[in-house]
Amino acid sequence: MTTAREIMTGSPVIVDISTPIRDIARQLADNDIGSVIVCTPDRQLQGMVTDRDLAVGVLAAGLDPESTTAQDLVSGREVVTIGADDSVDEAIRTMKEHAVRRLPVIDGQQVIGMVSQADLATHGDETQVGRLVEMISAAPDNTGQG
């Protein structure tokens, strides 16, 4: 059984809840990624901020990217995760169920990586991955939280 730990992208970009949105946008651009993980100073997972969150939740809403912080975007939103030793099949099921494209990987209380659709496409069953992409794309409430 292949696990999330085996296919994840290690060392995800993690930002503090007080990080201004402009700094998050720079991190996304500098690292050529679509999301960052948001944690408290003691590394407790609070959520994720995606490039779509920046476009829709900040720019389109007319918010100031200097004064708006990660906390402003993740407050009150559920974050969906996967355990490091959970199977690839479980990651696919979780993504389908929650219509997300990325899952932070948790080992105990620590975020240790990220599993994305691309990771699953490389390591998962072709039919399952095809259905995953189809279901996520068709989800009516695809809020960009993953």
Side-chain angles (χ1 to χ4, degrees):
M1 165 185 84
T2 304
T3 65
R5 182 187 311 271
E6 295 172 275
I7 68 163
M8 73 182 187
T9 299
S11 303
V13 176
I14 297 175
V15 299
D16 184 80
I17 57 174
S18 64
T19 304
I21 294 306
R22 182 174 310 281
D23 293 349
I24 292 173
R26 281 190 199 111
Q27 293 248 10
L28 295 177
D30 290 349
N31 292 289
D32 193 27
I33 55 176
S35 67
V36 295
I37 295 172
V38 179
C39 291
T40 61
D42 62 349
R43 306 271 296 183
Q44 293 296 315
L45 178 64
Q46 298 297 299
M48 289 178 36
V49 172
T50 67
D51 48 8
R52 185 174 191 282
D53 292 329
L54 300 183
V56 175
V58 178
L59 295 176
L63 299 177
D64 177 16
E66 291 291 340
S67 62
T68 304
T69 66
Q71 177 68 42
D72 297 325
L73 292 183
V74 301
S75 184
R77 295 195 314 196
E78 175 188 14
V79 60
V80 181
T81 64
I82 189 83
D85 296 318
D86 288 344
S87 70
V88 168
D89 289 343
E90 180 62 24
I92 291 171
R93 275 193 298 278
T94 302
M95 283 184 175
K96 283 181 185 177
E97 181 180 326
H98 296 278
V100 296
R101 291 174 170 82
R102 302 168 187 94
L103 293 170
V105 179
I106 305 296
D107 189 7
Q109 297 296 316
Q110 293 291 316
V111 177
I112 63 165
M114 179 89 75
V115 170
S116 69
Q117 262 184 342
D119 296 323
L120 292 171
T122 304
H123 298 92
D125 172 81
E126 197 173 291
T127 303
Q128 283 184 303
V129 173
R131 292 245 332 120
L132 169 66
V133 172
E134 198 176 300
M135 290 180 77
I136 290 172
S137 298
D141 183 30
N142 193 340
T143 62
Q145 267 303 272

